[in-house]
Amino acid sequence: MKYGFFDDAALEYVITTPKTPLPWINYLGNKEFFSLISNTCGGYTFYKDAKLLRLTRYRYNNVPYDNNGKYFYIKDNTDSACSVVWNPGWQPVKTTLDQYECRHGLGYSTFTSSKNNVEAKVLTFVPMNDNCEISKVTITNNKETAAKLSLFSYVEWCLWNADDDMKNFQRNLSTGEVEVTDGGSTIYHKTEYRERRNHYAIYSVNSAVDGFDTSRDAFLGAYNGPDSPDVVAEGKCTNSVASGWSPIASHQINIDLAAGESKTFIFVLGYIENPEDDKWEAPGVVNKKPALKMLEAYKTEAAVDAALVELKNYWKELLSNYHISSSNEKVDRMVNIWNQYQCMVTFNMSRSASYYESGIGRGMGFRDSCQDLLGFVHLIPDRARQRIIDIASTQFQDGSAYHQYQPLTKKGNSDIGSGFNDDPLWLIAGTSAYVRETGDLSILKEMVPFDNDMSVAKTLMGHLKCSFDFTATHKGPHGLPLIGRADWNDCLNLNCFSEHPGESFQTFGPSEGPVAESVFIAGMFVKYGEEYAQLAELLGDDAEAKRAREEIAKVYQAAITAGWDGEWFVRAYDAYSNKVGSKECEEGQIYIEPQGFCVLAGIGVKEGLAEKALKSVEERLDTKYGVMILQPAYTKYHLELGEVSSYPPGYKENAGIFCHNNPWVSIAETVLGHGDRAFEIYRKTCPAYIEDISEIHCTEPYVYSQMVAGRDAKFFGQGKNSWLTGTAAWTFVNISQYILGVYPTHNGLSINPCVPADFGDFEITRKYRDAVYHISVKQNGVQKGIKKLTVNGKEVSGNVIPYESGVKEYTVVAEMG
Ligand code: BGC
Ligand code: NOJ
């Protein structure tokens, strides 16, 4: 069942009912100021850091779903005997609407709704160059007679640190302060300004108002929720000025509209940070100049419309970096629009703020952000560059790394600490992707601190060497890399022996156990070790490349011997040196990670093991909704395995369909030339392909979720944790670089598709370094193999388009066969 449809021409997903199975959200903001907004106008706003600088409040574990939001209430008083109150996004009042449509676009959302012949259109977005969210609200009277309406706005301020805001009531109920100017049109939220902090927020409308409220209790009534505010029921605001408790911002505008008449209002929710030496006009009085400048910029409809055009053009331009035109509408839609969009969002958010990540628990993940780079680097290489430096700056001198860091401070999070032994290698993955994309070797020579301490700095290449050496020097009795607290699978805690997994990372035990080893990290080491060796060669250090390859060969050997179980790769060895993910185990006999990663790294291909491993995946892990992470599911808790066995069978890391590593297997299939199978795996978790089963899948049909419940789960096929998942980057890498086969190498773009036999011809436009490549692939019913490659009319040998300095356009014809 569908709850909407894709409008590809507009680059939008159109939701036609507010009653989606779960809130279906969008992200506004591209750089530092962000909002989450659901299809019923729920969500919140923050600047840079969802924990530390939160502008508006959200309620967790909310009932009903999805509150708080930034709401508009329309009170229709035309018939004074029975006035009606409704919201353009349906929530929070939930008055049945005569019409409802929400369009989530790239960085903006619109809501068009009507009730009793009054139409409201709300357009909301964060402009490219300002720290604010604009809502343009147009009310139209479609009645045959004049309408008497009141419009109320409503936002509830968060007292900045969202974590403290939820806990420290003894203090926070006394600190809230606001200031109201222009008769109520502009409301300043200045809690914390008194302590000489340099930031405040505003909520303002570009018209005169009939009043305002800034005290939540005054607006709602002490025992009411946003679904039944007293002020809206009365139709009269109270001009309350909050002092402590819960400050809000609400405007009231009474609107008389003749039949057919419309009026538009522009609301601006903004964040202002004053320069350090310019914090206040007088103690406690905010310096309003920058706020007034911001408001001035968006005073008129024309200015707002121009800002929206600028945003849309920005996205059009970005998306043109990789564009496919094929006969597969759903592939085109995902590649050209939604997958790239999700890559931007994961790049911006890492795993911090979504409807499933509270924004207060996790900041930027080391491994997460490194992987996000893989799907983002072709969009804005400069931002990727900065991110790489930021991440590397949280590394320790021995190559290990803080598992997470806070986006505002960019400092490692010591509550969580380090000890995840895959982390270091992901830095090589992200850096190599950047260098292959840009050819910019200067980044490797940049001095980067360890643990943010510039007195102990090395070049970025020096950091990568630390990463490489960390794995090379932390191996167990089978010659396989030590797993530490966990590898990519956070829940495989082979050294931690926690009685209470999942409560927080702090419940974990010692950071590194005696012998637990990871075959998955072995796969990573072979793959990213080789990428490290190539970077060393590019810098002219052949000796280092040689040394690296010798180390890789050892781990390769361990992987195909101790890491091989006869039909598939073992997952790990536990702290007692027992196999994990082996036919010798009672449960959890086969895991997806080493099959996907070892094969995509090329391990076991020439020995014939890779074919077997992928066959085993197909036989044992595949379902109609994707490939499960392990089988058979653990039915009881194993102290020696940790959190993985704490989940009920079929959920999350215990035999869920973890979307993140489905592309690894799909890529592995392309390595073996199996285009049909690679695509089948791609298709099964691909949002556009499963839109039809939204009532089962539940999460947004335009983005990936972290997990789909596996076959053992009660709700087989149900998605969870949408948006912030490495799935976004990895599926984009899979489809764009392996299935469609346009892969950036150090020497130029390589063209080597691996597609289903019936895929048909396709064309790709790819911007790469300084040039645009127009690539046309004649597929000839073939799954893999290029028989002829022509570049600007000249036939070239091999798969790589030779880079020619000064050439700005390449016309490439690739004939498969
Ligand atoms: C989840 C993992 C996640 C980890 C870190 C675990 O509870 O199952 O998917 O990576 O927490 O937040
Ligand atoms: C989600 C985490 O963000 C990611 O870092 C981890 O690799 C996966 N879960 C698997 O546990």
Side-chain angles (χ1 to χ4, degrees), residues 747-811:
N747 304 321
L749 275 186
S750 145
I751 312 293
N752 195 11
C754 182
V755 289
D758 62 358
F759 195 75
D761 297 348
F762 57 96
E763 291 186 357
I764 288 173
T765 312
R766 174 69 155 88
K767 290 193 192 147
Y768 175 65
R769 302 193 184 172
D770 290 339
V772 185
Y773 292 71
H774 307 279
I775 305 155
S776 141
V777 179
K778 309 260 172 275
Q779 194 233 336
N780 299 326
V782 165
Q783 295 189 43
K784 193 168 184 182
I786 294 283
K787 69 171 183 213
K788 188 169 169 199
L789 187 65
T790 319
V791 180
N792 288 345
K794 275 188 270 163
E795 195 172 335
V796 301
S797 64
N799 293 96
V800 178
I801 304 166
Y803 173 77
E804 277 181 69
S805 135
V807 176
K808 293 276 178 240
E809 303 242 355
Y810 292 80
T811 302

Side-chain angles (χ1 to χ4, degrees), residues 362 367 404 490-491 502 505 643 647 652-653 658 706:
R362 304 166 73 183
R367 79 156 80 89
Q404 287 171 24
D490 275 323
C491 300
F505 278 102
E643 186 177 347
Y647 287 108
K652 295 277 286 177
E653 281 87 341
F658 229 82
Q706 180 202 52

Side-chain angles (χ1 to χ4, degrees), residues 18-25 39 65 355-356 697-700 718-722:
K19 295 183 191 167
T20 46
L22 289 165
W24 284 3
I25 74 161
N39 60 315
Y65 266 165
Y355 267 31
Y356 309 92
H697 187 64
C698 295
T699 47
E700 294 91 330
Q718 189 174 75
K720 284 218 181 88
N721 306 347
S722 56

